[in-house]
Amino acid sequence: MPTDSALRPWWLELLSAGAAEADAGLAGLSCAEAKARLARFGPNLFREQQAKSLLRQYLSRFKNPLVLILLVASAVSAFTGEVINFFIISLIVLLSVTLDFVQEYRANAAAEKLRLSVSVKAIVIRDDRRLEIPVAEVVPGDLVVLSAGDLIPADGRVLEARDFFVKQALLTGESYPVEKRPGVLPDTATDLQDATNAVFMGTSVISGNARMLVVKTGTATAIGGIADSVSRQPLPSSFEIGTRRFGMLIMRLTVLMVLFVLLVNTWFHKPLLESFLFAVALAVGLTPELLPMVVSVTLARGALRMARKHMIVKRLAAIQDLGSMDVLCTDKTGTLTEAKIRMERHVDAEGAPSDRVLELAYLNSFFETGLKSPLDEAILDHEHIEVGSWKKIDEIPFDFERRCVSVLLDNGKERWLVVKGAADEIVGLCTRYESEDGQLRRPVDEAALVPIQAQYHGLEEEGFRVLGIAWRQVPPDHPHAVVSDETELVLAGFAAFLDPPKASAAPALAVLKKAGVAIKIVTGDSDRVTRHVCAELKIPVEGVLTGKEIAQLDDHALQARVEAANLFCRVNPAQKERVIRALKARGHVVGYLGDGINDAPSLHAADVGLSVDSAVDVAKEAADMILLRHDLHVLHAGVLEGRRTFGNIMKYIMMGTSSNFGNMFSMAGAALFLPFLPMLPTQILLNNILYDISEVPIPLDKVDTGEIVAPRALDLNFIRNYMLVIGPISSLFDFLTFYVLLAVLQADEKLFQTGWFVESLCTQVLVIFVIRTRGNPLKSRAHPLLTATSLAIVAIAVLLPLTPPGTHFGFVPPPARFYLILGVMVVVYLFAVELAKRAFYRWSAPPGR
């Protein structure tokens, strides 16, 4: 039985007892000791992410049911005396699996290296020096320095704290931040909610700063024990939904085709083992087994190209989502504006310049310990003011519901609560206002309210961001500041700030709009300020929704309104998230660009979350991509790269659902009237592996300009219709080949199988050059490696029957006139596919346009 002390939570233990082996003193651990502890306790990951060995990764490829069936079938062939079949099938399976593994491993390794370059870091004290290290390298005993915006990197005890508030809703469900402070707790504090002297991995710092001593890391943390229950799976993106539906379509077609072939062959009393092998080989030919590799390699190469364009991709599938994005939601600060905010005016409630307003604003910003905003920096940079004997007693940190921050100050004679926040919120909290630089105080009645509102509204219409500055005197023994203290305030006046629009913003918005991406500004600023910025950037205002209006709308009503509006002003974080979900419900692919604590929910909710490398940890962790330059031109380049990536993935899908499917349909149809198998199982597998090799360079291929002018999404109906148009052409020429072989060349079983193998491989490989572009294939040049590989595979198909190895696959040398007829048929086939392709694109609406 465990002792009572063993059941006690670690935060109830005395520091010397609870952290005996972790305690490192004020200088922190030595680097050598930290290395030893990392080896002992393992990486600080709340899920075990032990990298599989290369051998295990390779062997996992054989879990594919079709691969296993083929290997079992090849073993049966060996036992029945078909040793050559056994070796050929095994060799082809190994080649296919190895090709897939090597390509995908190399691509994913490169992408992972990029992702780690922007991983969240922690600041620790080691050897009495501050070091920034990856969170995974934090060990028990580390001293960690925390400040607003940080993610807590492990479970630990708070050693020092200053107005330190943490949001831990992920673990406890508490919606409001909780203040943490050092100290020993009573024995009744056994729940996480009561552990005010401890912080937990995965929670985030809202305001203040602290030092913590790490006690638990990795799976030993609170979140490590419940990782699966607290991790919110993101909703599948449009691309993931599309590929899933495509996979189901292929599966249904494959099952139907295999059952049909087995029934027909059984009806005609063909050899059972050979018929089974034929059906399995047909299933392999129908299955686009190279699709995962093509997707992975294409996305990874896209990530590398985007890194060269100053964007780091954390989630590879987000590249496709970025290309499909047709709505970008963004704040204006730092994106549309320079984020170099200057304090331009400080006026009283009547509009007269006021040093009193500047003094109070300075005191508030100087003593505030939360996440410093650019407005705070502008106040402190505007003019140095001596704080004298003032000292801070307490603080009410900023939150996005109150939209203000308060500090409780004392100078030995008086104790003041100084409040700074959104102008309309502050005015609503005031009962009196100052004039003549604080000499007079007057009541804020209905008559006074109109000119006061006119003052800050007028500043906002000039493009200024406006903060209200207020205060109140409290008793000298007033111990703590609480939200209820923010009442009956005295309005000192307003501080006005100028954040000029970026010179690059207007042209960047223009190219994004031309590329089919609508910009919607989602901001906490007033509609007047935002309208002014839009006017300077020549952004037409199509509609405005404010936070108050959004609060009165249910989800269905909001969905009806978001389409027409492109400005969402005075919105809080929850309302931002609602706007994004409403846009997604309307069928849009939505991106969100944010860098603050309040942006994390919206970054999670969007199809693609975008942040910047200077963002707080919470935002960077939630984002799918990190912009190394806060510039919409960088984002536009990323959008185009996403569309190129999508274009190359679509090439494989379109080719696989046209000529390849046509050949497989023909093969199944031929089983109805031929007294022998139209192609041997080994020949089908060889055909498939050669075709796959020809398509490996697709991720390198260029994409036509016309393919990236507008967002596109994976449309299953479009793919199905394309297959129904192009596939029958392939089947038609296959049956024409059957006629030539049987009626003209009087082919026997081996010559028939040889002739059709050569024709099917030549047509489905060469048609790549027609299908890879919507335009004229003679004007759209393929990548040289794709051209070289495709032509090499065609040469192999033509020459293999003439070589000794061809006899092992059951081939015989065709007559010379077969090659002449084949050349004419291939040219006519490619011409017919080109005509059908043009007609299809002319008559059908392209996806996403």
Side-chain angles (χ1 to χ4, degrees), residues 713-730:
L714 191 63
D715 186 338
L716 197 62
N717 292 330
F718 179 82
I719 295 170
R720 183 197 59 216
N721 294 340
Y722 192 87
M723 179 179 68
L724 293 176
V725 170
I726 305 298
I729 297 175
S730 177

Side-chain angles (χ1 to χ4, degrees), residues 550-761:
I550 292 172
Q552 296 170 0
L553 301 174
D554 62 20
D555 288 343
H556 293 291
L558 183 58
Q559 289 170 24
R561 297 283 302 276
V562 291
E563 198 76 46
N566 66 336
L567 298 188
F568 301 86
C569 304
R570 290 296 191 203
V571 290
N572 60 36
Q575 291 167 341
K576 287 184 179 182
E577 185 178 6
R578 285 190 65 203
V579 167
I580 289 167
R581 294 193 182 278
L583 287 166
K584 289 177 67 175
R586 297 276 300 186
H588 293 289
V589 179
V590 183
Y592 181 80
L593 177 58
D595 61 357
I597 296 173
N598 59 314
D599 291 315
S602 300
L603 289 166
H604 277 298
D607 290 292
V608 54
L610 303 155
S611 193
V612 292
D613 60 342
S614 59
V616 298
D617 286 351
V618 181
K620 286 200 289 187
E621 182 69 13
D624 301 311
M625 294 183 181
I626 305 294
L627 278 66
L628 302 182
R629 284 195 357 234
H630 207 166
D631 187 340
L632 288 179
H633 282 295
V634 174
L635 185 56
H636 176 250
V639 167
L640 297 185
E641 192 57 55
R643 293 177 186 176
R644 290 188 190 98
T645 301
F646 176 81
N648 279 333
I649 293 172
M650 283 299 294
K651 287 176 187 177
Y652 178 82
I653 292 175
M654 303 301 260
M655 287 185 283
T657 53
S658 52
S659 63
N660 195 27
F661 268 85
N663 284 334
M664 295 304 115
F665 291 145
S666 304
M667 205 172 294
L672 284 172
F673 64 87
L674 287 177
F676 50 82
L677 292 177
M679 207 181 287
L680 295 177
T682 53
Q683 294 169 349
I684 297 176
L685 293 174
L686 178 63
N687 183 298
N688 192 58
I689 186 64
L690 290 174
Y691 176 66
D692 282 350
I693 291 172
S694 74
E695 297 197 47
V696 166
I698 284 178
L700 303 174
D701 197 21
K702 295 179 180 178
V703 177
D704 293 344
T705 304
E707 295 292 298
I708 60 175
V709 295
R712 299 175 61 198
L714 191 63
D715 186 338
L716 197 62
N717 292 330
F718 179 82
I719 295 170
R720 183 197 59 216
N721 294 340
Y722 192 87
M723 179 179 68
L724 293 176
V725 170
I726 305 298
I729 297 175
S730 177
S731 293
L732 177 64
F733 275 83
D734 284 337
F735 284 108
L736 182 59
T737 302
F738 297 165
Y739 174 79
V740 169
L741 289 169
L742 295 173
V744 178
L745 300 179
Q746 303 295 314
D748 59 8
E749 178 179 348
K750 287 195 172 184
L751 180 57
F752 182 93
Q753 292 166 345
T754 302
W756 192 32
F757 173 87
V758 175
E759 183 271 342
S760 66
L761 192 55

